[in-house]
Amino acid sequence: MDYKIRQLHIFFFPFLAHGHMIPTVDMAKLFGTHGVKTTLITTPANAPLFSKSVQRANELGIQIDIKIIKFPSVEVGLPEGCENLTAITGEINMQVKFFKGISMLQEPLELLLQEYKPDCLVADMLFPWATDSAHKFGIPRLVFHGTSFFALCAGTCVALYQPHKKFSSDSEPFLIPNLPGDIKLTRNQLADFVRQDVGETSFIRLFEVAAESELKSYGAVSNSFYELEPAYADHYRKVLGRRAWHIGPVSLCNRTNEDKALRVQQDFIDEQECLKWLNSKKPNSVIYICFGSIANFTSTQLMEIAIALEASEQQFIWVVRKNKNGEEEKENWLPEGFEKRMGDRGLIIRGWAPQVLILDHEAIGGFVTHCGWNSTLEGVTAGVPMITWPVSAEQFYNEKLVTEVLKIGVALGIQKWSTTVREFVKRETMEKAVKEIMVGDKAEEMRSRAKAFGEMARRAVEKDGSSYSDLNSLIEELSLLR
């Protein structure tokens, strides 16, 4: 069996967005540590984002290769080199062109499958055609969702039973049918394309096709661990009847500070400078604010966050993304003299941040997050309570998991799903939440719960842990299939 496992070869094909690529690279490294030969498929502009991480893995004896396929930017009407979702503005026209380009990756992928004949293809759920591509060559296809079992179950139940259609009000809460935990949402908190249900021309069709594709696939791999959401892992498998293996948190395959810093190669603050600042702080004394790679906040909202942070009197690390066009412009989102007044109390990172490295530091005592699953799970893994500020995608589902199921977070009260950040959060609301999670009456209790989940996460990926065992079972099954 060891011989078979060492020789097993798996293709990993992440969707072209940071939030999808980062966990997929981690996943390839994780399978590699179990003796599997892994190959990452990507495009020319995306390869440099993780090439150093792959090089580092290879130096450690983990066998990972990168294969490049061309992305048809110009052919679909996008600028040359526009190959990542983070490069797309909020214009629906550009998004449509980008997804058209994504659909044109099927043929080059199949040429690679034909040439290298891997034993399995792990492809993102946003490549629904990958199941058919794998079938052509007699290869099992595994779907990678990149979200929680909770969100998968909630989204599936909403799609199956459509409870939102029974309500005319966008703000009246409804119960999600057939979902453990009495979870309520409003129509406003559902994705536009789900709420409006505008048919074939909308993104709803993409998700319908993706769901059909998963049912025809070999199964799904989940970046989660059983102890975090047992009721929903069981519901997904036993009630909804899906084959799935939980193998996360995949970020834990990065054991050293160097590995954590190299997860995505971007321009960011020197990790040593960041660590030096954190090392000067007491445990649980710093709040970390970051909203992922997609959400864009207005200058007015950023100003409001800055005023709230100053008023909270808490120490902070605040990650603020640069403008997408890369132009240097006056920073009109900070109050006059803000950084001078803050001095050593706050650290602003403009651009990309080594998030796992920061969250894992003992000085971090809270996390303001958009509830993307990578960030949410990284917060859980670090044992840090969260302030939830969902924007789009499945983030409102993840907020419910954090605040109502796990009870390790405080909701800011965002009510409207949106592809752009439209809902304004007042400084008083933000200040109150920051104080509540850092020094409030229930702060210690919430932090204790969060740390317990963090310990469970680490045990899950150790030998004989739930995720370690699921990963081993999957590798053995794929070896026998071959």
Side-chain angles (χ1 to χ4, degrees), residues 178-355:
N178 198 28
L179 183 72
D182 293 334
I183 305 299
K184 291 182 178 179
L185 280 178
T186 67
R187 285 166 57 95
N188 270 336
Q189 292 170 319
L190 297 176
D192 287 344
F193 52 82
V194 173
R195 188 172 68 252
Q196 293 161 0
D197 193 18
V198 292
E200 293 286 332
T201 58
S202 74
F203 281 113
I204 197 165
R205 185 61 195 142
L206 172 64
F207 287 93
E208 285 173 352
V209 172
E212 293 161 10
S213 172
E214 182 186 349
L215 292 173
K216 293 190 295 179
S217 75
Y218 192 73
V221 281
S222 170
N223 182 19
S224 187
F225 60 101
Y226 185 76
E227 294 81 358
L228 183 68
E229 41 178 353
Y232 302 99
D234 288 344
H235 190 83
Y236 196 67
R237 294 178 175 119
K238 295 172 184 175
V239 179
L240 298 175
R242 313 296 174 91
R243 284 166 58 80
W245 292 262
H246 53 267
I247 61 170
V250 296
S251 62
L252 286 174
C253 71
N254 302 287
R255 307 235 171 209
T256 67
N257 285 344
E258 183 182 355
D259 291 332
K260 292 171 188 176
L262 280 177
R263 286 177 84 214
V264 167
Q265 192 58 28
Q266 290 276 76
D267 293 329
F268 58 62
I269 187 170
D270 178 68
E271 65 262 26
Q272 295 309 318
E273 182 188 338
C274 199
L275 286 172
K276 184 181 175 185
W277 188 89
L278 282 165
N279 288 340
S280 70
K281 307 301 176 187
K282 292 178 181 175
N284 304 318
S285 66
V286 176
I287 188 153
Y288 173 63
I289 305 102
C290 184
F291 300 103
S293 57
I294 300 292
N296 256 337
F297 285 71
T298 63
S299 295
T300 313
Q301 182 66 83
L302 292 173
M303 176 78 77
E304 204 76 359
I305 293 171
I307 294 167
L309 289 173
E310 184 167 4
S312 76
E313 301 182 337
Q314 301 302 308
Q315 300 182 100
F316 62 87
I317 291 183
W318 182 17
V319 182
V320 182
R321 292 183 58 232
K322 292 175 182 173
N323 289 335
K324 284 184 177 175
N325 58 19
E327 292 174 8
E328 292 295 325
E329 61 172 44
K330 186 183 175 189
E331 291 192 336
N332 59 353
W333 47 270
L334 281 177
E336 189 78 31
F338 178 79
E339 287 183 277
K340 192 173 182 182
R341 284 196 305 280
M342 292 305 95
D344 196 45
R345 201 186 103 192
L347 178 65
I348 296 178
I349 299 176
R350 293 160 172 84
W352 197 263
Q355 182 159 290

Side-chain angles (χ1 to χ4, degrees), residues 7 10 13 24 40 62 80 103 142 147 164 179 219 230 233 259 326 329 431 435:
Q7 297 300 311
I10 300 180
F13 189 25
T24 306
L40 286 157
I62 302 168
E80 181 75 50
S103 69
L142 288 166
T147 192
H164 54 290
L179 183 72
D259 291 332
E329 61 172 44
E431 180 194 346
K435 284 181 175 174

Side-chain angles (χ1 to χ4, degrees), residues 225-230 248-249 252 376-386 401-409 445-461:
F225 60 101
Y226 185 76
E227 294 81 358
L228 183 68
E229 41 178 353
L252 286 174
T376 303
L377 189 59
E378 286 158 14
V380 166
T381 304
V384 176
M386 291 169 253
L401 176 66
V402 168
T403 58
E404 294 184 18
V405 180
L406 305 178
K407 296 181 171 59
I408 56 168
E445 181 190 336
M446 202 179 297
R447 191 163 290 124
S448 176
R449 283 181 63 81
K451 289 194 183 302
F453 281 117
E455 287 163 13
M456 288 180 211
R458 290 169 197 282
R459 282 199 299 270
V461 299

Side-chain angles (χ1 to χ4, degrees), residues 15 71 76 78 82 85 88-102 193 203 206 294 324 417 419-420:
F15 186 72
F71 186 81
V76 296
L78 291 171
C82 185
L85 197 60
I88 303 294
T89 64
E91 292 175 35
I92 192 73
N93 187 37
M94 284 191 78
Q95 291 176 16
V96 169
K97 289 175 180 177
F98 184 74
F99 276 91
K100 185 180 178 187
I102 289 292
F193 52 82
F203 281 113
L206 172 64
I294 300 292
K324 284 184 177 175
W417 190 100
T419 50
T420 56

